[in-house]
Amino acid sequence: MKQFILEFGKDFTFIGEEYRVQVGGQDFYIDLLFYNRALSCLVPIELKIGKFKPEHIGQINFYLEALDRDVKKPNENPSVGVILCASKDDAVVEYALSRSMSPTLVADYRLCLPDKTLLQNKLRELTELALESGERDEDDEE
């Protein structure tokens, strides 16, 4: 998953997984924490295996506040939260975010990449085809 997030752009730097923040003597754990160099801010990412629920906004807002009060450096911008869900209802997301001033994004994710071995085999096939085609072109020129 870290690798997937890093594909968002080169400006994301991984800070931690199950990143601990402590509030009032209690420990809370952010699924993934990144820093975005272009935005100069912390980016907590919460991973939800099910459908988006409005209460996820409260959780990420709590994490944003904890990060901004206790972790963020004075020269950094306020944190931006991301909630990745297996699915979402756009109307529910709109209602959940409508009164929130929080910089939070909600997205559904899809795991669509084929198996690594399958990709390697396909790449090998294409490379062999390209080589064979190149050899045929050389034979035609002679």
Side-chain angles (χ1 to χ4, degrees):
M1 184 56 79
K2 289 181 279 189
Q3 208 50 41
F4 167 75
I5 303 299
L6 289 172
E7 290 177 14
F8 285 168
K10 62 182 180 198
D11 288 327
F12 279 90
T13 302
F14 179 69
I15 293 177
E17 187 172 1
E18 292 296 314
Y19 186 88
R20 183 175 66 90
V21 291
Q22 194 172 51
V23 176
Q26 295 182 52
D27 292 336
F28 299 90
Y29 296 90
I30 299 169
D31 290 337
L32 296 170
L33 183 61
F34 288 83
Y35 184 81
N36 186 283
R37 291 176 52 219
L39 299 174
S40 294
C41 71
L42 295 165
V43 181
I45 298 177
E46 278 301 297
L47 307 171
K48 304 299 180 188
I49 59 172
K51 194 171 192 172
F52 170 79
K53 296 178 183 174
E55 53 264 31
H56 297 154
I57 298 294
Q59 180 185 22
I60 198 76
N61 283 340
F62 178 80
Y63 291 155
L64 290 170
E65 190 64 26
L67 289 169
D68 286 350
R69 285 189 189 194
D70 302 330
V71 180
K72 177 179 90 68
K73 302 216 183 294
N75 63 316
E76 296 173 342
N77 292 316
S79 302
V80 176
V82 176
I83 302 170
L84 283 178
C85 304
S87 63
K88 64 182 173 77
D89 180 318
D90 290 336
V92 173
V93 171
E94 180 185 339
Y95 274 58
L97 288 173
S98 66
R99 293 194 181 232
S100 174
M101 298 300 289
S102 173
T104 300
L105 307 170
V106 178
D108 51 354
Y109 60 89
R110 296 184 179 100
L111 300 177
C112 297
L113 289 177
D115 180 63
K116 182 179 178 180
T117 307
L118 182 66
L119 286 173
Q120 288 173 333
N121 290 339
K122 195 62 166 171
L123 182 60
R124 193 174 300 116
E125 286 175 28
L126 293 171
T127 303
E128 289 171 4
L129 283 173
L131 288 174
E132 289 173 10
S133 175
E135 289 172 3
R136 275 188 253 129
D137 290 344
E138 287 176 14
D139 290 341
D140 290 344
E141 290 176 7
E142 293 174 7

